[in-house]
């Protein structure tokens, strides 16, 4: 079997609600989802969801190679880009290609990837994460009631701009999940996306911990600040989670050596091989790992094979336009299917019909000018930028759009 080419696609995720974090909001609730398809001479194609920036420079490392040599080809791609650097979107391109190769390898073996990687249990524990900073209280409650109906008992909220607003929203979601679980205490996490200084982080979380029990605080300070993350960890009871924006083992080593991370995260777009290597590094230091990202299907399969997986992020109960997956959500877990490979199916006409999604000038991908230098919290507890309009419907039982992660019974 030989790799013969690739093609790229871009679809959209229609969230049906504004989504964002302390840095900004996509008010229209629509985000781009780039896709890479790797083709072979035996008619098997693999799919990876992630950037395809600079793919013309990376792909020669794969051209005419046997796709089943996945880990060797991963290192070959890293070498292909080492002079110009392999961070950010370029690292994401390598990760998307890597995921597509794992898809091909498992399809060629006639097995789902989770089985090929040595997984035993197809159930992957999940937590809810709504990218919810712009939602009203009613919308927030409705959204997490839907997550709770799928058995999720842990939730990660976006915050970091106002202590009292964060406390109120965390308590609201806690009550929604507690009611759904008949009084069982849920798990709560807060993600501030690098919005604070070290002292702000300790002060903010310490105040929340007067009345709340947080499992973790995510990215309290800048991702590379090993000393600062360690200082935050020493000053609070909650664990420190970080790593989703780190690319390569060389960026994780200083944090682990400094005792700066308690929950090691990896982003879905960085690929399967990266996740497996980070998981092994974390396991060597008795640290758990937690994948993040929307539709993190490659890492869900990989998570079944590592001993230190904690929980995977479930952002939305709807998949990007034109994409279907062989999995469902039940009992607070992703349940993987038996389709060979990743179980990804593409409806390319539907994807093509979505048209181009122009880049936005505001959103969580753009760091605000005064991030980390706010004397007081935001007046309304929401990030700068356009707020959602009144005609956005909440994610709740009344929504007409079909869920694509149904329970087994449905």
């Amino acid at each position: 079997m030989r790799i013969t080419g690739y093609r790229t696609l871009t679809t959209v995720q229609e969230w049906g609600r504004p989504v964002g974090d302390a840095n900004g909001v996509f008010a229209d609730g629509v985000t781009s989802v780039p896709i890479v398809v790797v083709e072979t001479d035996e008619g098997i194609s693999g799919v990876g969801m992630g950037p395809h920036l600079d793919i013309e420079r990376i792909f020669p490392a794969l051209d005419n190679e046997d796709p089943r040599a996945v880990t060797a080809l991963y290192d070959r791609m890293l070498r292909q880009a080492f002079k110009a650097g392999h961070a950010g979107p370029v690292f994401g391109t390598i990760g998307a290609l890597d995921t597509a190769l794992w898809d091909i390898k498992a399809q060629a073996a006639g097995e789902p990837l989770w089985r090929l990687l040595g997984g035993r249990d197809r159930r992957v524990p999940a937590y809810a994460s709504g990218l919810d900073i712009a939602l009203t209280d009613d919308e927030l409650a409705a959204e997490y009631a839907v997550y709770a109906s799928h058995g999720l008992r842990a939730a990660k909220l976006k915050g970091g701009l106002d202590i009292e607003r964060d406390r109120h929203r965390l308590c609201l979601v806690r009550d929604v999940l507690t009611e759904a679980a008949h009084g069982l205490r849920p798990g709560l996490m807060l993600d501030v996306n690098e919005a604070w200084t070290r002292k702000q982080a300790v002060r903010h979380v310490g105040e929340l911990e007067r009345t709340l029990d947080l499992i973790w605080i995510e990215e309290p300070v800048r991702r590379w600040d090993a000393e600062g993350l360690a200082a935050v960890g020493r000053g609070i009871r909650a664990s420190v989670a970080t790593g989703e924006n780190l690319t390569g083992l060389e960026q994780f080593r200083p944090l682990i050596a400094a005792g700066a991370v308690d929950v090691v995260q990896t982003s879905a777009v960085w690929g399967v091989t990266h996740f497996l290597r980070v998981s092994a590094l974390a396991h060597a230091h008795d640290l758990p790992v937690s994948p993040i990202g929307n539709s993190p299907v490659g890492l869900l399969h990989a998570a079944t094979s590592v001993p230190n997986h904690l929980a995977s992020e479930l952002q939305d109960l709807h998949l990007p336009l034109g994409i279907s997956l062989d999995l469902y959500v039940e009992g607070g877990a992703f349940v993987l299917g038996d389709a060979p490979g990743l179980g990804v199916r593409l409806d390319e006409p539907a994807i093509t019909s979505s048209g181009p999604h122009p880049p936005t000038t505001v959103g969580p991908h753009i760091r605000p000018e005064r991030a980390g230098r706010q004397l007081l919290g935001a007046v309304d507890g929401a990030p700068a930028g356009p707020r959602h309009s009144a005609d956005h419907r909440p994610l709740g039982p009344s929504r007409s759009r079909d869920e694509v992660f149904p329970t087994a019974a449905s």
Side-chain angles (χ1 to χ4, degrees), residues 3 7 18 36 40 48 114 141 181 186 188 215 251 317 334 340 358 369 382 408:
I3 296 170
R7 63 186 188 277
V36 175
T40 70
W114 66 268
L188 297 174
I215 294 177
Q251 295 188 12
L317 287 161
F334 295 96
E369 182 178 354

Side-chain angles (χ1 to χ4, degrees), residues 146-220:
V146 176
Y147 290 125
S149 72
H150 287 73
L152 278 81
R153 290 187 48 226
K156 183 177 78 181
L157 275 66
K158 297 290 188 179
L161 297 176
D162 180 85
I163 292 174
E164 293 308 321
R165 180 63 178 155
D166 286 348
R167 188 198 314 276
H168 173 75
R169 297 173 80 249
L170 286 162
C171 289
L172 189 157
V173 171
R174 178 196 61 191
D175 293 345
V176 169
L177 297 182
T178 299
E179 180 179 1
H182 306 292
L184 296 176
R185 186 173 70 173
L188 297 174
M189 297 87 86
L190 182 67
D191 185 1
V192 302
N193 296 98
E194 306 181 54
W196 294 332
T197 64
R198 303 174 189 183
K199 289 290 188 179
Q200 285 176 329
V202 173
R203 173 175 173 267
H204 198 120
V205 178
E207 180 61 29
L208 292 176
E209 289 182 327
R210 292 175 182 270
T211 52
L212 289 164
D213 181 23
L214 295 178
I215 294 177
W216 77 56
I217 181 70
E218 188 167 323
E219 290 191 324

Side-chain angles (χ1 to χ4, degrees), residues 229-249:
L229 288 164
V232 173
R234 290 190 297 269
I236 63 176
R237 297 198 309 270
S239 294
V240 171
T242 190
E244 68 179 87
N245 290 307
L246 301 180
T247 55
L249 294 182

Side-chain angles (χ1 to χ4, degrees), residues 121-126 299-301 303-304 309 311-312 332-336:
D121 188 352
R122 69 178 71 224
R123 299 178 64 87
V124 181
L299 302 197
L300 297 179
H301 282 263
T304 66
H309 174 259
S312 291
F334 295 96
V335 184
L336 300 171

Side-chain angles (χ1 to χ4, degrees), residues 14-25:
E14 298 177 342
W15 297 83
R17 64 185 189 273
V19 291
D21 57 36
N23 297 295
V25 170

